[in-house]
Amino acid sequence: LVFPLLEFLSSRDVYQADAILQAKVELLSGTGMVDYTGELYKQLHNTDQLPAEFDEKRAALIKQLTESEHKTKHIREVIENPEVADALRQDKLQNMKLLQDSYQCTPEMVLELYSFGQLQYSSGNYGGSADILLHFSILSTDPELTLSALWGKLASEILLGNWEVGLGDLLKLRETIDKTHFKTPAEQLQQRVWLLHWSLFVFFNHPKGRDGIVETFMLPHYVSTIQNACPWILRYLVAAVITNRRKRNMMQDLVKTIQQVSYMYQDPVTEFVEALYVDFDFDRAAAKLEECESVLENDFFLTHAVDDFVENARFFLAEVYCRIHKRIDMEALTTRLNMKSEDGEKWIVKLIRESRMDAKVDFKEGTVIMNSSYNPVYQQVIERTRNLVFRSQVLNGAIDKNSNPNKKDDAKQKGKQPRAAKRQETAVAA
């Protein structure tokens, strides 16, 4: 998954081209993509000849693929049969027994599927590896290998760009990590750290990913993971909240988290939020917003969200500024928003209209006058005591129930007595 990041950096002037090319060769040298690695090697060293080790590695890889394909041929034919797929159940032990008794498939064959899936992934055949690792995760009874297969399946879907399927795999992997009992808490922490980083590929490419990243990253155990192991992930959480106004109610909790880790990690994105919502330093917030543009443009995950981030960040800045000032100079606010005077005035008027602020725009004076939005004292009293009667009734009922525990039993006993007397009268008459 590092390769797409290197490809992105190669299109930027952040690092030297030879350094990026060297990093690609070193990364791919441990995989089965021998031919592609050879082409990069030729570019790096400006030569047409490859070392003999490339031919040896290619021959060894072809041999491994051929042997593994032969070993898994039978079980792949079986599990790809629609009748067998319909017969499989949630119970993996029962599935294995069915395959052994009816189709002569052994546990060793299932284990070989894992090795074959690894080889397919290493060779760059991500479609094949995704299918094989999916079959393995369904059949395997080994929890560790099943978890590893889920990671491989997710990586394959990410590299294929199948974001809808990848989101489903991501949620399944998150559930598995949360339910698995690891040997030590550190192992579970490491799994969650990996999940946070890998999920960025899915969340920032899926149409509904910005909702998903907020919902996942703001879960208590993932907030704890960010605070303890990877505070730099806050950049992406902040960007998701700012670019998604529907999640603006999460800003208060997000600010608390930023404050807690500020001694460990800060960048222009987190500093913008801190300057705006903690210090109310609008000049510093405006300066950090300018820095955010260059930072996001060179960020693989956020480069396509720069315009959305800047637009919504201006909205948050202007909204806070307007709510704590009585009289606002539109020229000064426009300057803080880094906008032209005419465009800034139109943007401020649009902001007031969309946010439904109680304000009056004076174009002659170039000011915005904010009207007081505080409720009168009597209205505040009504709001606070609105549910008082209902709560008092519930409390009285609870007190009566606790103070007279035998009251209900006495009522039941009284109800039984007339029935008993009636039965006795019927018997005497008979």
Side-chain angles (χ1 to χ4, degrees):
L1 295 181
V2 176
F3 190 79
L5 305 183
L6 295 176
E7 282 284 286
F8 172 77
L9 291 175
S10 63
S11 63
R12 298 294 192 274
D13 295 329
V14 180
Y15 301 98
Q16 295 182 357
D18 289 344
I20 297 291
L21 196 57
Q22 178 67 36
K24 289 181 180 179
V25 172
E26 292 178 359
L27 176 67
L28 297 178
S29 61
T31 70
M33 292 185 281
V34 181
D35 294 335
Y36 186 59
T37 307
E39 293 299 322
L40 295 178
Y41 182 91
K42 292 178 181 179
Q43 294 179 27
L44 178 63
H45 296 279
N46 194 22
T47 181
D48 294 330
Q49 300 295 325
L50 290 175
E53 62 185 41
F54 278 86
D55 293 333
E56 297 173 359
K57 189 174 181 179
R58 183 186 298 104
L61 178 64
I62 293 174
K63 181 180 179 181
Q64 283 182 309
L65 284 170
T66 303
E67 292 177 353
S68 187
E69 184 176 8
H70 177 73
K71 290 179 182 179
T72 59
K73 181 180 179 180
H74 175 65
I75 191 170
R76 285 188 288 111
E77 291 175 350
V78 170
I79 59 181
E80 289 172 2
N81 187 339
E83 295 180 0
V84 177
D86 293 339
L88 296 178
R89 298 293 181 264
Q90 292 291 333
D91 190 343
K92 292 187 176 184
L93 294 176
Q94 189 65 30
N95 291 339
M96 194 67 250
K97 187 175 184 303
L98 172 67
L99 293 177
Q100 283 183 301
D101 296 343
S102 303
Y103 301 98
Q104 293 76 48
C105 294
T106 64
E108 289 74 17
M109 292 181 181
V110 175
L111 184 61
E112 188 62 33
L113 279 176
Y114 180 78
S115 301
F116 188 50
Q118 281 186 315
L119 286 172
Q120 293 289 335
Y121 181 84
S122 178
S123 302
N125 183 10
Y126 303 120
S129 66
D131 293 338
I132 294 168
L133 292 174
L134 174 62
H135 293 319
F136 174 81
S137 64
I138 294 174
L139 300 176
S140 175
T141 56
D142 188 324
E144 293 185 5
L145 289 181
T146 300
L147 182 60
S148 179
L150 290 176
W151 281 111
K153 172 72 162 55
L154 175 60
S156 299
E157 300 296 352
I158 289 174
L159 292 171
L160 287 171
N162 294 334
W163 306 121
E164 192 67 40
V165 179
L167 180 61
D169 291 340
L170 180 67
L171 297 178
K172 183 178 180 181
L173 185 58
R174 188 186 75 184
E175 182 181 0
T176 303
I177 293 172
D178 292 340
K179 290 183 177 180
T180 301
H181 296 285
F182 293 91
K183 295 178 182 178
T184 63
E187 291 184 23
Q188 188 173 50
L189 177 65
Q190 182 64 68
Q191 293 286 328
R192 285 175 174 161
V193 169
W194 289 343
L195 184 72
L196 288 172
H197 287 80
W198 287 34
S199 67
L200 298 177
F201 288 95
V202 178
F203 286 139
F204 283 105
N205 286 282
H206 192 277
K208 298 181 179 180
R210 295 180 189 178
D211 291 331
I213 189 173
V214 177
E215 293 168 1
T216 298
F217 285 25
M218 291 302 289
L219 291 173
H221 40 277
Y222 283 98
V223 171
S224 178
T225 300
I226 293 172
Q227 292 173 336
N228 290 284
C230 50
W232 48 86
I233 288 293
L234 280 174
R235 171 191 292 186
Y236 305 101
L237 180 56
V238 170
V241 172
I242 288 180
T243 56
N244 189 352
R245 294 185 190 178
R246 291 175 298 178
K247 297 296 182 180
R248 59 188 302 179
N249 60 317
M250 306 297 294
M251 183 60 75
Q252 185 176 359
D253 294 332
L254 181 57
V255 170
K256 292 179 182 178
T257 304
I258 291 173
Q259 286 182 277
Q260 291 170 353
V261 302
S262 60
Y263 73 96
M264 290 192 300
Y265 176 79
Q266 286 184 326
D267 67 15
V269 178
T270 61
E271 287 179 311
F272 166 76
V273 174
E274 193 171 14
L276 183 59
Y277 286 97
V278 179
D279 302 328
F280 295 99
D281 187 341
F282 298 103
D283 292 331
R284 180 166 174 261
K288 291 300 176 183
L289 181 56
E290 290 187 26
E291 294 180 25
C292 287
E293 292 189 49
S294 60
V295 170
L296 299 186
E297 286 176 356
N298 292 304
D299 190 298
F300 173 80
F301 300 105
L302 300 175
T303 185
H304 298 296
V306 176
D307 293 338
D308 286 345
F309 180 89
V310 173
E311 179 69 18
N312 286 280
R314 285 173 176 168
F315 173 87
F316 281 101
L317 193 155
E319 183 183 42
V320 175
Y321 189 88
C322 290
R323 292 195 184 279
I324 67 173
H325 288 82
K326 178 70 176 177
R327 191 180 188 89
I328 300 164
D329 185 346
M330 286 197 292
E331 184 68 26
L333 181 56
T334 300
T335 302
R336 285 190 171 92
L337 296 175
N338 194 25
M339 300 175 69
K340 295 180 180 179
S341 179
E342 184 178 351
D343 295 337
E345 290 182 2
K346 294 179 181 178
W347 191 89
I348 293 170
V349 172
K350 181 181 177 182
L351 166 69
I352 294 173
R353 185 185 304 115
E354 291 181 353
S355 59
R356 298 181 181 179
M357 294 180 183
D358 188 5
K360 179 181 178 181
V361 180
D362 188 341
F363 288 102
K364 292 183 179 180
E365 297 291 333
T367 59
V368 177
I369 301 173
M370 303 297 299
N371 297 322
S372 176
S373 59
Y374 295 106
N375 291 330
V377 175
Y378 70 87
Q379 185 66 33
Q380 295 181 33
V381 172
I382 292 174
E383 292 293 335
R384 290 177 179 271
T385 59
R386 178 172 295 174
N387 297 324
L388 188 59
V389 175
F390 173 74
R391 292 181 180 178
S392 299
Q393 291 175 351
V394 173
L395 182 60
N396 288 333
I399 292 174
D400 291 341
K401 184 177 180 181
N402 292 332
S403 60
N404 299 312
N406 298 324
K407 187 175 180 180
K408 185 181 291 186
D409 295 337
D410 293 342
K412 289 182 179 179
Q413 190 65 28
K414 290 179 180 180
K416 292 179 181 178
Q417 288 178 358
R419 296 192 189 97
K422 186 175 182 180
R423 286 198 297 269
Q424 186 175 2
E425 291 176 1
T426 304
V428 171

